[in-house]
Amino acid sequence: MFDLKKYRKKSPWILHYNAGSCNGCDIEILAALSPKYDLERFGVINTGNPKQSDIFLVTGPVTYRTRERLVELYTQMPEPKVVIAVGSCACTGCVFRDMYNVEVGIDRYIPVDVYVPGCASSPELIIDGVVKGLEILEHKSKEMEKPFKLFKAATIDDGIVNRRHSALKVGEDDAKD
Amino acid sequence: MMEAFFIAVAPLLGGLLYGFERVLRARMQNRKGPPLLQPFYDMYKLIGKQAFIVNPYHSILGIVYFITLWIVVAFIILGENLLYIIFLHLLSVVFLILAGFSVRSVYSHIGANRELLATLAYEPVLVMMAVGFFMINGSFEISAIRANASSIIPLFLLFLTFLMIIPVKLKKSPFNATEAHQEIIGGVEVEYSGVFFEFMYMAKWLEYVFIYLLLMLFAGDNIALGTALFIGTFLLVNLVDNATARVKMRDLIKIVLTLGIVLGTVNLIGLSYV
Ligand code: SF4
C-alpha cells in the first residue's frame, strides 16, 4: 500500500513570519514565491495560517516584541513541522549581533532545522533551503518538539555574551526546583 | 448503477478539477505550476498531521457541511427537485456559518459574517434560476430539465447572472472577499487543522462539482453544448480570476444583488409574456 510519509513532503504549506527583519529577506522570500522562481511547483502554498502550515520560514533577528509571537506561532503549528531560519539575522543575528535589544538568532527560542545564510539570502538559496527542509519533513514524526524557554539570564564568559549554549528546554529548570 | 458510481467519485472528480485548475492558472501566469494530483497530495498530508480541536461542535459542523454538500451533489446527479436542492445547499452553507461562529477567533467571525452576506447575495439568483427553469419546462425536476431541449436562449440573462455568482461560490477574484486569504486568512476555515481541515478542503472540491453541474442544466439534453459551456466557463472564470483584483464585500453585494436581481427579473418577466 502507499506510504503516507512519502506524500507529506509533496505538499508543504508555508508560514512566513518576520521577527523584526529589515525586509530584505522577506522580499527575497516573496520573490521565491513569485512566478519567476515559482516555489508552487513543489506544491508550496503561502497560507499565512499557523494551524495549516508545515514549514515555518522566519526572517530577522528576534527582538523583544517578536519573541513571544515567535514561540506562540511555533506552538500553534501542528506537528510534523520544519523551521527554516532565512537570512544571517535569523541564523546568528548578523550585524545586529550582541545589540542590547536583539537576541542572537531564532534558535535561542525554537528548534531550527535548516539555516539559510546570506544578507539578504538569494531566492535560489531559499529554494534550496525549502527543498532541504522537505527531506527533513519526510522523516519527522508526529512527536512534539518543545520550544525553548523564553527568559533566562545571559551567561557571560570571556566578556562575550553567548546565549545559544545556555538555552533551556521547557521544563528543564522546573525539574531542578 | 452509473449514478451511484458518479456519486461515489464526485469528490475525486472535484479534486481533479481543482488540480487541473491550479495547473491552468500557473500556465496563464507563465510558470510551471504544481503537479495535477497536488490536491490529493495535500489530502494525504493532512491525514498525517496533528489535529487541534478548538471545540467538538466546530469540528463536527465542518464534517456535517461536507456530508450535506455531498448529498446535494448526489441529488443533482439523481435528478431530484431543483428547488429542494437549492435549499438543501443553503442548509449546508448554514452549517458552515455556524462553524465559523462557534469559535472565538475574530477572523472566523468575520469570515462567517461575510459568508452570510454572500449567501444573501447569491441565493435569490439561484432561486430565480429555478423559477426560470420551471417556466420553461413546467417542472422543477432536474430529470425533466435534462430531458428537454436546451434553455440557454430564453434564459440567457439568467445564465449571465449565474456566471456572475460562480466566482462567489468558488471563492475567486474579483468576488473572493469571503475567504480573502491575505486579510482574514481564509475566514471560516481559519481554526481548522489536520484531518478536520481536510473535510473543508474536500468540501471545496464538492462546491466545484455542484456549481458546474448546475451550469450544465442550461444545456438541457444537448451534451455537446453542455461540454462547450463547461469548458468555456472554466476558462473564463480562471481568466477573470487571474486578471482582476478583489472587490470589497460591500461592492460584492451591490454588484451581485443589483445586477443579478435586475437581469433575473427582466428575464422572468420577459418569459411570462412570451
Ligand atoms: S539578513 Fe540582512 S537582509 Fe536579511 S533581515 Fe537581516 S539585515 Fe535584513
Side-chain angles (χ1 to χ4, degrees):
Chain A
M1 280 302 281
F2 49 76
D3 183 19
L4 288 187
K5 277 189 182 170
K6 209 175 83 198
Y7 295 99
R8 188 178 288 163
K9 75 168 187 180
K10 286 207 169 192
S11 92
W13 291 3
I14 278 184
L15 174 66
H16 168 205
Y17 179 58
N18 175 345
S21 106
C22 74
N23 244 336
C25 288
D26 302 278
I27 291 171
E28 301 298 339
I29 287 179
L30 293 181
L33 287 165
S34 73
K36 182 170 180 191
Y37 293 98
D38 189 22
L39 258 183
E40 205 198 341
R41 65 177 188 265
F42 301 116
V44 167
I45 302 180
N46 191 0
T47 54
N49 183 350
K51 296 204 167 178
Q52 292 151 15
S53 0
D54 313 282
I55 294 191
F56 193 21
L57 279 180
V58 190
T59 59
V62 187
T63 63
Y64 186 79
R65 295 279 174 202
T66 58
R67 57 186 183 181
E68 286 157 43
R69 276 77 163 171
L70 181 73
V71 175
E72 185 97 338
L73 283 175
Y74 179 82
T75 45
Q76 277 188 17
M77 282 172 65
E79 297 279 342
K81 59 194 165 190
V82 161
V83 179
I84 303 181
V86 177
S88 300
C89 280
C91 297
T92 62
C94 193
V95 287
F96 309 108
R97 190 178 170 87
D98 296 338
M99 277 167 74
Y100 67 95
N101 57 349
V102 159
E103 313 291 338
V104 192
I106 61 168
D107 53 4
R108 205 185 152 209
Y109 294 116
I110 58 178
V112 177
D113 297 290
V114 183
Y115 294 89
V116 180
C119 175
S121 58
S122 65
E124 288 92 346
L125 264 181
I126 294 174
I127 292 175
D128 280 355
V130 171
V131 172
K132 187 80 199 159
L134 295 185
E135 284 168 25
I136 298 172
L137 192 66
E138 193 184 6
H139 298 297
K140 283 214 170 180
S141 66
K142 268 190 185 178
E143 265 173 45
M144 289 286 276
E145 254 186 280
K146 297 227 167 60
F148 302 149
K149 187 127 182 163
L150 261 189
F151 302 102
K152 202 215 167 195
T155 51
I156 299 179
D157 18 69
D158 312 332
I160 299 168
V161 183
N162 191 342
R163 293 148 169 161
R164 178 158 316 136
H165 304 296
S166 59
L168 274 181
K169 295 266 198 317
V170 166
E172 205 172 83
D173 70 343
D174 301 340
K176 263 185 229 155
D177 298 336
Chain B
M1 196 55 225
M2 202 60 193
E3 277 102 355
F5 173 71
F6 272 121
I7 291 167
V9 300
L12 304 182
L13 284 180
L16 270 183
L17 199 59
Y18 180 57
F20 181 68
E21 187 198 78
R22 276 180 72 176
V23 175
L24 182 76
R25 240 173 31 214
R27 291 291 149 81
M28 279 179 176
Q29 292 165 359
N30 200 7
R31 59 192 170 90
K32 188 160 170 290
L36 183 63
L37 293 181
Q38 184 61 43
F40 299 101
Y41 298 152
D42 292 347
M43 208 183 83
Y44 286 132
K45 177 205 72 178
L46 286 171
I47 292 174
K49 294 274 287 180
Q50 196 184 16
F52 294 142
I53 297 177
V54 183
N55 64 49
Y57 305 109
H58 179 241
S59 314
I60 290 171
L61 280 171
I63 297 173
V64 170
Y65 164 58
F66 169 74
I67 292 174
T68 330
L69 212 52
W70 203 345
I71 294 173
V72 170
V73 169
F75 277 166
I76 298 184
I77 292 174
L78 287 176
E80 296 291 327
N81 195 318
L82 180 59
L83 212 53
Y84 177 64
I85 284 167
I86 287 171
F87 289 126
L88 197 61
H89 174 258
L90 181 62
L91 179 70
S92 78
V93 178
V94 167
F95 283 132
L96 180 70
I97 292 165
L98 282 181
F101 279 124
S102 73
V103 289
R104 278 200 176 170
S105 161
V106 187
Y107 293 125
S108 190
H109 281 201
I110 296 179
N113 269 325
R114 289 187 176 183
E115 196 73 52
L116 201 55
L117 289 172
T119 313
L120 284 183
Y122 68 69
E123 203 61 29
V125 176
L126 282 182
V127 175
M128 271 187 191
M129 196 186 95
V131 174
F133 276 124
F134 179 76
M135 290 168 90
I136 298 258
N137 300 295
S139 163
F140 280 120
E141 298 293 322
I142 285 186
S143 45
I145 298 172
R146 283 220 190 95
N148 285 342
S150 161
S151 44
I152 188 162
I153 306 288
L155 291 181
F156 191 68
L157 294 180
L158 269 173
F159 175 68
L160 287 185
T161 39
F162 186 70
L163 281 189
M164 214 164 52
I165 68 166
I166 289 178
V168 185
K169 226 28 253 172
L170 298 185
K171 317 261 164 49
K172 296 203 171 301
S173 296
F175 297 141
N176 59 349
T178 45
E179 69 155 36
H181 247 289
Q182 290 79 25
E183 309 152 22
I184 57 170
I185 328 176
V188 179
E189 64 196 42
V190 69
E191 291 293 326
Y192 283 97
S193 57
V195 75
F196 299 108
F197 180 60
E198 190 186 317
F199 282 102
M200 304 294 283
Y201 200 65
M202 293 205 303
K204 198 195 263 177
W205 306 349
L206 279 178
E207 294 268 11
Y208 277 78
V209 180
F210 167 74
I211 209 86
Y212 283 117
L213 277 180
L214 280 191
L215 179 82
M216 300 275 237
L217 288 188
F218 282 99
D221 60 352
N222 193 339
I223 294 176
L225 179 63
T227 322
L229 270 188
F230 166 63
I231 295 175
T233 312
F234 189 71
L235 290 176
L236 179 71
V237 166
N238 280 302
L239 192 67
V240 170
D241 182 30
N242 263 331
T244 53
R246 183 184 307 139
V247 297
K248 274 187 267 175
M249 194 65 214
R250 188 173 304 169
D251 295 336
L252 189 163
I253 295 168
K254 261 188 210 153
I255 295 170
V256 173
L257 209 54
T258 50
L259 257 181
I261 287 189
V262 168
L263 283 180
T265 320
V266 167
N267 201 161
L268 290 184
I269 292 174
L271 268 185
S272 64
Y273 277 107
V274 174

